[in-house]
Every structure is written in C-alpha cells, then in structure tokens.
Amino acid sequence: MKLIDGVIVYQENDGDYIIVTSGDALKCFNGMIRCNQTAATIIKLLQKKTSENELFIEMSQEFDAEEATLKRDINEVLESLNNLGLLVKD
C-alpha cells in the first residue's frame, strides 16, 4: 500500500503537523488535516510502497510505545486515509 501522489506533510513551529494535498490527491481530498507526530510519521512512511508489518517495524524503531498502541495507531491512520481515498492498497 502507499499514498496517492500529492499528499504533503508540513511541520509547524509549535510541533504540530499539517497534511495538505496537491495534484491528483486534490480529487480525493481538498483541505488540511492537523495531526500529531505519530500520524505524520506513518503518512511519511506511506509515501513509498510499504506493508502494515513494515510500518510497524519502522514505527517501533522510531517510538517507544507498546506493540498494541503502535498497531492501534497505525490502523487508525490507515483507516482514516482509506476513508479519504488517499490510500492505494495492493
């Protein structure tokens, strides 16, 4: 799975992250999403083709969190992106 082209992640001065779309991604979602570092990291990892297992491995190296928490966070972000039409699954 991966994000469709045109999903961009920006970090604001206060540490929050903003997700915006451009190009083809505008057809699915035209707006702005505020998110935390966890969601932004998942979205950045999804800019190249990856699997849920690969996401989990990368996230467990990046964040000191319990396995259940990481898996829940990954699933929530994937579900949200899928609902917006921004995620391409194999």
Side-chain angles (χ1 to χ4, degrees):
M1 77 187 99
K2 76 178 283 290
L3 289 174
I4 63 173
D5 292 334
V7 178
I8 303 164
V9 180
Y10 293 103
Q11 183 175 5
E12 294 191 307
N13 291 337
D14 63 3
D16 284 343
Y17 292 81
I18 302 275
I19 312 300
V20 295
T21 55
S22 66
D24 289 340
L26 284 171
K27 297 174 188 172
C28 300
F29 179 77
N30 185 5
M32 180 174 65
I33 302 168
R34 282 190 170 279
C35 66
N36 61 18
Q37 182 182 6
T38 303
T41 301
I42 294 168
I43 291 167
K44 288 177 186 178
L45 291 169
L46 285 166
Q47 291 180 336
K48 62 179 180 141
K49 188 175 179 181
T50 191
S51 68
E52 281 189 57
N53 189 52
E54 291 168 329
L55 282 175
F56 173 74
I57 292 168
E58 291 283 338
M59 294 296 290
S60 64
Q61 292 172 355
E62 180 80 21
F63 295 95
D64 183 26
E66 293 183 16
E67 180 178 340
T69 301
L70 284 175
K71 287 184 175 183
R72 184 194 69 229
D73 290 348
I74 290 168
N75 287 331
E76 286 177 3
V77 172
L78 291 176
E79 183 177 338
S80 295
L81 293 170
N82 192 51
N83 289 341
L84 292 171
L86 298 174
L87 190 63
V88 178
K89 294 185 177 181
D90 298 332

